[in-house]
């Protein structure tokens, strides 16, 4: 049983995973390597002078792995509610999760199949997004969404920030109190 299964390892998903893993939550990321960030050249991400999209995505995954997140290749085909949480299904495997974070970028087909409420997107070229509240919660308790699929502006700093925001909210809900992740400069 994973505490958190994140679907999608783009800026939103990997950012969420690194925080949940760093907070000690058993975290799995399932990704099928179809993200749009692979085609980007980025000069507008605060704190990073310039980086290729593939490098940003790989660095994000490395950060998540460093804190213990497991990242597997696969296409999630459904998310099914169970007595103890959720069953996240791929063509080959099934994973149990207490919480699920959907971070599938521009792809809304999985979310629709899983019964998550959608609505028309408002950002350029984004057709469908999930109907989430300010915390990132969908209409199914325990399934959250972050990044492009959650309707935020399609910029890496914003989608990554949204993934982090949702992760902090998931961790806080699991812990029963607001969570903060601050490391202190070693002198
Ligand atoms: C050509 C181009 C140039 C860009 N240039 C810039 C730029 O200069 N600056 C900037 O800030 N932004 C830029 N962007 C936008 C930026 O890439 C996006 O805003 C941001 O990366 C989206 O992040 P995300 O995590 O929401 O989605 P994505 O990066 O698309 O990640 C979604 C992930 O979910 C996975 N996934 C989807 N469905 C499933 C499923 N069913 N099962 C498993 N995995 C699944 C995908 O494989 C993917 O890895 C550019 C985009 C493009 C296309």
């Amino acid at each position: 049983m994973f505490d958190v299964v994140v679907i999608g390892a783009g800026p939103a998903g990997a950012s969420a995973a690194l925080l949940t893993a760093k907070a000690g939550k058993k975290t799995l990321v399932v990704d099928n390597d179809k993200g749009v960030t692979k085609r980007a050249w980025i000069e507008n991400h605060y704190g990073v002078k310039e980086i290729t999209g593939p490098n940003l995505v790989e660095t994000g995954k490395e950060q998540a792995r460093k804190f213990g997140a497991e990242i597997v290749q696969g296409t999630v085909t459904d998310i099914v509610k169970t007595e103890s949480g959720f069953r996240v299904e791929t063509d080959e495997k099934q994973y149990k999760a207490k919480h699920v974070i959907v971070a599938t970028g521009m792809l809304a087909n999985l979310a629709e199949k899983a019964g998550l409420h959608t609505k028309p997107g408002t950002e350029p070229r984004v057709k469908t997004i999930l109907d989430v509240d300010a915390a990132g919660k969908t209409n199914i308790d325990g399934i959250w969404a972050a990044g492009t699929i959650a309707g935020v502006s399609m910029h890496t700093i914003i989608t990554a920030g949204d993934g982090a925001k949702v992760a902090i909210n998931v961790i806080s809900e699991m812990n029963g109190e607001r969570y903060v992740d601050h490391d202190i400069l070693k002198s």
Side-chain angles (χ1 to χ4, degrees):
M1 171 71 86
F2 288 91
D3 291 317
V4 183
V5 170
V6 182
I7 307 170
S15 174
L18 91 83
L19 277 155
T20 56
K22 192 165 182 276
K25 307 302 177 195
K26 191 169 161 57
T27 300
L28 174 76
V29 185
V30 186
D31 185 77
N32 63 5
D33 204 23
K34 289 184 180 160
V36 296
T37 310
K38 284 192 306 186
R39 295 191 285 127
W41 165 251
I42 297 150
E43 296 185 354
N44 57 1
H45 192 113
Y46 172 80
V48 181
K49 285 186 185 160
E50 55 185 39
I51 191 166
T52 67
N55 270 351
L56 184 72
V57 168
E58 275 315 306
T59 303
K61 289 196 227 174
E62 276 172 34
Q63 279 180 287
R65 281 197 195 96
K66 173 185 161 187
F67 295 115
E70 193 181 328
I71 303 181
V72 296
Q73 179 86 17
T75 298
V76 175
T77 51
D78 207 354
I79 309 163
V80 180
K81 183 103 183 92
T82 63
E83 271 183 20
S84 54
F86 299 95
R87 191 173 67 243
V88 177
E89 299 181 349
T90 72
D91 287 336
E92 289 166 5
K93 285 192 174 174
Q94 300 185 342
Y95 305 96
K96 289 180 186 168
K98 291 181 190 159
H99 289 261
V100 176
I101 300 176
V102 178
T104 54
M106 297 177 84
L107 303 174
N109 49 340
L110 162 68
E112 284 166 342
K113 184 167 180 212
L116 299 172
H117 292 169
T118 60
K119 59 185 183 182
T122 51
E123 298 298 312
R125 296 185 295 282
V126 181
K127 284 192 186 139
T128 306
I129 58 172
L130 292 186
D131 198 358
V132 294
D133 69 9
K137 289 184 177 200
T138 69
N139 57 297
I140 299 179
D141 194 30
I143 304 185
W144 311 64
T148 306
I149 192 67
V152 302
S153 171
M154 247 186 106
H155 294 92
T156 57
I157 194 147
I158 298 174
T159 54
D162 195 52
K165 177 197 85 174
V166 171
I168 296 292
N169 291 337
V170 172
I171 298 161
S172 299
E173 188 165 302
M174 294 183 94
N175 291 355
E177 60 182 1
R178 282 306 288 171
Y179 173 79
V180 65
D181 180 355
H182 285 178
D183 292 324
I184 298 167
L185 184 65
K186 294 171 184 74
S187 54

